[in-house]
Structures are given as C-alpha cells and as structure tokens.
Amino acid sequence: MRRSFVARVALVAVVWLGWPPGVAHAQPVSYQLKLEVPAGQKPQIRITGATRVMGVRLELERDDGKRFTLDQRALERNQAVTLTIGDGAAGKAHYQGTISARQPAWSEPIQFATVVRPALTVGYDADHLDLDGHVLQFTMSRPAGAATLTAIGEDGTTLGDGAATYARQPAGTWLAIPWTQPAGARVLKLKLHAESSDAGVTEVELVPWSVSIDHQDVTFATDSAVIADTEQTKLAASVAKIQEIVNRSERFVKMRLYVAGHTDTVGPSAKNQQLSLARAHAIAQYFRTHGIALPIAYAGFGEGVLKVITKDNTDLAANRRADYVLGPVGAPPPFNGRYLKAHARWAELK
C-alpha cells in the first residue's frame, strides 16, 4: 500500500531575516515528511518553494552521531522536490538540524524521528505442511495481517487457492491457511503472499513436491555392489519412469534424483553401511550413463532404515533395497522420519 506524505511539522512563524524594519517575509519553503517506511526504502522530505528559492539545504545529525547534508540548487514557485533521509538502516532514529535557503536568506531548526520497518519474513517447515489436508502453517516476523496462497500443479497450471485473515497475532505465531484443489492432483509448489498488520508484504514460493519412483529392486550378489546383466532391465524401466516425470515437469522445477541404499541386518552394521553406499553409487552411476542428466545424490543407510523391522542377522530380501526419489534442487532431501535419524550423508555423483 502506498502511503501519502503526511505533514508532521506546521511552519507558521513569520521570520525576520535581513529585511527592513516593519517588513515581514514569510518562510520561502514548506515541507512534508514521510517518516515511516518499509525495509528497502528511506524516509523522505518533500520541499516545496513558496517563492523562487536558491540554495536550499538540509543539514542533519542522527542520534548515532552520523551527519547528513541534502542540497537543492534552486526551486521555482510551487515546485517540489523529494529528498531521501538517512541510509535506510532498519529501526528507529532521531534527527535534528536545520533547513535553510541562501536566497532569500532563511533558516529554521528541524527535528524528527524516523522508522524503517524491518523486512517481513516468513518461516515454515515440512512438519507444518499437510499436503493431504491442503493446509499450510507458517510464521511471520511481524504481527500477522492476511495471506493468500496459490497451489501449482506438476504441469504448471493452477490447482486451487486459499485466503486467510489474522487478528494481529504476534510475530512467530504459527498461522494456518487452507487451500482447495482437485482430488488426486499433486502439488508442485505453493505461492504464498503474506501481509503483516503494519503494512509489510512479502511473497515466497514453497516447493514441497517430490516423487518416489515405483520400481523393482536390484538383486546384488552377497557382499557385492556390481550390477549383474540380468538386473539391468529393472534399472532400464526405472530410467524410463524417471525421464517421463522429468519431461512433464522440468519446465516448472529444477530436479535432483536421490538414490538411497539399504541392507538387511545380516553382518556388522558398519560393513552394511559401506555396502549400501557402494550399491547406491552403482545404481546412481547406471542412471547417469543411461541418460539421466539431472544432478544425482546418493547415500547409504545400511540397516538403519529397515522396511521390515527384524532381529539382528535376519536375512530378508525386502530390506535389501534402494529408494529412488525426485526432489527440487535447493530444498532439503525429500526424506523424513527414520531417514533423518539415520544421519546418512548425501554425496553428489560426479
């Protein structure tokens, strides 16, 4: 919202400066101050000539000792000029000094306080996003005002939208905004427009999108990370599925492919960790050499994220697997729950 200039100082005094006795000369300029602005802007003073004026000068000292001088060579009658005050530093500041003109000679003290409001920022995390229920929770860094949200699908079209108003909840309060969308549609990203109650505005994009690739797991020989020729048809099918999703959505989101390797509980856990990493790397390398040009990250989780919970030294094929997941570049890996607790390190395929 654009705010108009608000007059903060009334200049009504008649000033006697160098004129013959009995002749009064009114002030040669008037001014208005815009003292409160959002981050990224500076307070302003608009000076208007009451007559033709030469050498208008504003000399100010801020309460931190920093000095500012603003000059305007000339003003015609009723001509206005807008000058910015200070350096745009966020927070409240007090100024005092003088506003003057060289011809006609005139000077007057001036003092005022300015406020540069801090930028409005939005906070959110995966734990406060319910994709199935179509509700986002987020925080504002300033008292809450209102928000609108647009859900974008995998093909870049709008799935639905939502809106909410708030009752000046304090900064940091979790705020909910629901949205509507067709059943079964997958959200690629959410566009959030947030407004604080003190006129701060910001827009952010959230990309909660990820796709797990349904596939047949590769069977490796015991203690081996070599992909057998008989297993390559499984990986070729996965390549086709990955490429299909890439072709559909790459115009709207930059993607990374994640390959997570796992083992069962047979053998030492440290050895299983290394084995799962080597197998994940082998699969990632296959994807790269067979046409997947996306960035690819891989990690080994060993026996830390079992699909089926078993006792130690249990030989179970369901736990000897790999996960293939597409997620957006620039976002955290699209894994949660026990994956986060496993603390595996993702490596970028060279």
Side-chain angles (χ1 to χ4, degrees):
M1 178 186 299
R2 183 176 180 182
R3 294 194 175 190
S4 61
F5 283 80
V6 179
R8 299 297 182 100
V9 181
L11 299 179
V12 296
V14 175
V15 183
W16 294 79
L17 290 172
W19 289 86
V23 178
H25 180 72
Q27 60 194 39
V29 300
S30 62
Y31 59 88
Q32 297 168 296
L33 291 161
K34 185 178 181 181
L35 300 177
E36 187 171 335
V37 296
Q41 298 184 21
K42 296 179 182 180
Q44 298 175 342
I45 181 169
R46 184 165 64 188
I47 304 173
T48 303
T51 183
R52 189 171 190 277
V53 187
M54 302 294 292
V56 178
R57 168 169 287 197
L58 183 65
E59 295 180 282
L60 298 171
E61 181 176 358
R62 197 164 61 189
D63 49 8
D64 62 0
K66 191 169 183 178
R67 295 177 179 273
F68 301 88
T69 301
L70 307 175
D71 287 301
Q72 176 67 21
R73 292 182 60 184
L75 281 176
E76 298 299 325
R77 178 181 174 84
N78 296 324
Q79 180 186 358
V81 62
T82 300
L83 306 174
T84 58
I85 300 169
D87 50 19
K92 188 173 184 179
H94 294 269
Y95 292 84
Q96 63 178 358
T98 58
I99 181 170
S100 61
R102 187 178 73 252
Q103 185 181 349
W106 170 83
S107 179
E108 179 160 302
I110 184 173
Q111 58 180 343
F112 52 85
T114 63
V115 177
V116 178
R117 297 190 301 271
L120 175 62
T121 58
V122 166
Y124 53 89
D125 57 41
D127 291 337
H128 288 84
L129 173 61
D130 183 356
L131 281 174
D132 294 330
H134 310 152
V135 178
L136 168 70
Q137 293 186 65
F138 66 99
T139 63
M140 293 191 201
S141 62
R142 287 154 57 182
T148 59
L149 183 145
T150 302
I152 306 297
E154 289 180 314
D155 60 356
T157 60
T158 298
L159 297 179
D161 51 31
T165 56
Y166 309 106
R168 297 181 59 88
Q169 287 90 334
T173 302
W174 285 103
L175 309 163
I177 181 169
W179 76 90
T180 59
Q181 68 174 66
R186 196 196 318 262
V187 172
L188 176 71
K189 59 185 173 183
L190 299 170
K191 294 183 176 181
L192 177 67
H193 174 93
E195 300 179 6
S196 65
S197 60
D198 57 359
V201 176
T202 190
E203 294 186 355
V204 295
E205 287 192 355
L206 294 72
V207 186
W209 176 89
S210 65
V211 179
S212 295
I213 308 300
D214 187 29
H215 64 280
Q216 285 185 286
D217 282 315
V218 174
T219 300
F220 290 92
T222 301
D223 290 338
S224 172
V226 177
I227 300 172
D229 291 343
T230 55
E231 300 299 302
Q232 295 197 18
T233 55
K234 298 177 181 178
L235 289 174
S238 296
V239 168
K241 290 181 180 179
I242 293 167
Q243 198 61 57
E244 178 187 355
I245 296 169
V246 171
N247 292 342
R248 184 171 67 237
S249 302
E250 65 180 343
R251 290 178 298 164
F252 312 108
V253 61
K254 293 182 178 179
M255 291 173 258
R256 175 177 278 110
L257 175 63
Y258 295 86
V259 180
H262 307 273
T263 68
D264 58 25
T265 59
V266 175
S269 60
K271 182 178 179 180
N272 285 336
Q273 181 75 25
Q274 292 302 314
L275 182 60
S276 66
L277 178 64
R279 290 174 173 175
H281 179 267
I283 293 172
Q285 190 64 55
Y286 179 96
F287 288 150
R288 170 67 77 240
T289 57
H290 287 77
I292 302 300
L294 302 175
I296 301 177
Y298 64 95
F301 290 85
E303 57 189 75
V305 189
L306 297 173
K307 187 175 184 179
V308 179
I309 304 299
T310 67
K311 295 180 180 180
D312 196 20
N313 289 313
T314 299
D315 183 344
L316 186 64
N319 284 329
R320 299 191 298 272
R321 70 198 195 281
D323 299 320
Y324 318 147
V325 182
L326 287 166
V329 171
F335 297 86
N336 50 33
R338 288 184 294 149
Y339 282 88
L340 297 180
K341 296 179 181 178
H343 298 299
R345 292 185 178 181
W346 292 95
E348 197 77 19
L349 185 68
K350 304 300 184 182

